[in-house]
């Protein structure tokens, strides 16, 4: 009979199946691995259930981008480098007073409103 790492004997049939530890040590290892992988499982798409993403962040990102059989892969555009990555500053629009307008509101009361005209920014 083979010996486990903990010093206990375990059946030879278990060793022939490929196990190198006793049942108690195997249960403890499986519980530790299950707890570790619990943080790596996420619902990928609607109604697809939970999917194991992988041990490292690169694998997890790749699997999330791949999608699943029901959903198309996520689109990730190329990262922009240089001046094109910076947002362009737009000049604020300028207005000038053009006059007053008198119109009735919803209840028929006459209201005074300002008329503004956009000034071209040369």
């Amino acid at each position: 009979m083979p010996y486990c790492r903990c010093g206990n004997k375990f059946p030879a049939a278990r060793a022939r199946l490929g196990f190198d530890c006793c049942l108690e040590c195997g249960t403890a290892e499986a519980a530790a691995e299950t707890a570790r992988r619990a943080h790596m499982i996420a619902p990928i798409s609607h109604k697809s259930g939970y999917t194991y993403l992988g041990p490292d962040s690169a694998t997890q990102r790749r699997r999330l981008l791949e999608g699943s059989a029901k959903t198309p892969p996520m689109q990730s555009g190329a990262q922009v480098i240089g001046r094109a990555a910076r947002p362009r500053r737009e000049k604020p629009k300028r207005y000038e007073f053009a006059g007053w307008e008198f119109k009735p509101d919803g209840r028929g009361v006459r209201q005074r409103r300002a008329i503004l005209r956009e000034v071209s920014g040369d």
Side-chain angles (χ1 to χ4, degrees):
M1 284 189 132
Y3 285 92
C4 178
R5 284 172 257 145
C6 65
N8 294 334
K9 291 182 181 179
F10 64 94
R14 185 170 169 78
R16 282 194 302 267
L17 289 174
F19 295 101
D20 62 345
C21 58
C22 64
L23 194 58
E24 292 81 23
C25 291
T27 304
E29 283 180 21
E33 183 68 13
T34 301
R36 187 181 72 84
R37 288 187 180 197
H39 300 289
M40 302 174 199
I41 296 176
I44 297 295
S45 66
H46 178 64
K47 294 185 179 180
S48 70
Y50 288 87
T51 304
Y52 174 66
L53 298 177
D56 58 344
S57 61
T59 307
Q60 291 173 5
R61 178 174 163 69
R62 184 176 47 81
R63 291 225 172 111
L64 282 171
L65 291 174
E66 285 174 0
S68 67
K70 293 182 180 180
T71 59
M74 293 174 73
Q75 300 297 322
S76 61
Q79 291 185 355
V80 184
I81 300 172
R83 291 179 57 115
R86 283 185 247 136
R88 292 188 179 145
R89 287 186 53 164
E90 293 183 19
K91 290 185 179 179
K93 293 183 178 179
R94 296 180 58 211
Y95 299 94
E96 68 180 5
F97 178 73
W100 295 103
E101 176 182 48
F102 297 93
K103 281 195 165 183
D105 63 0
R107 287 182 269 159
V109 179
R110 201 170 110 169
Q111 299 289 325
R112 181 174 84 166
R113 298 189 313 182
I115 300 173
L116 301 176
R117 181 175 34 224
E118 188 174 334
V119 178
S120 62
D122 291 330

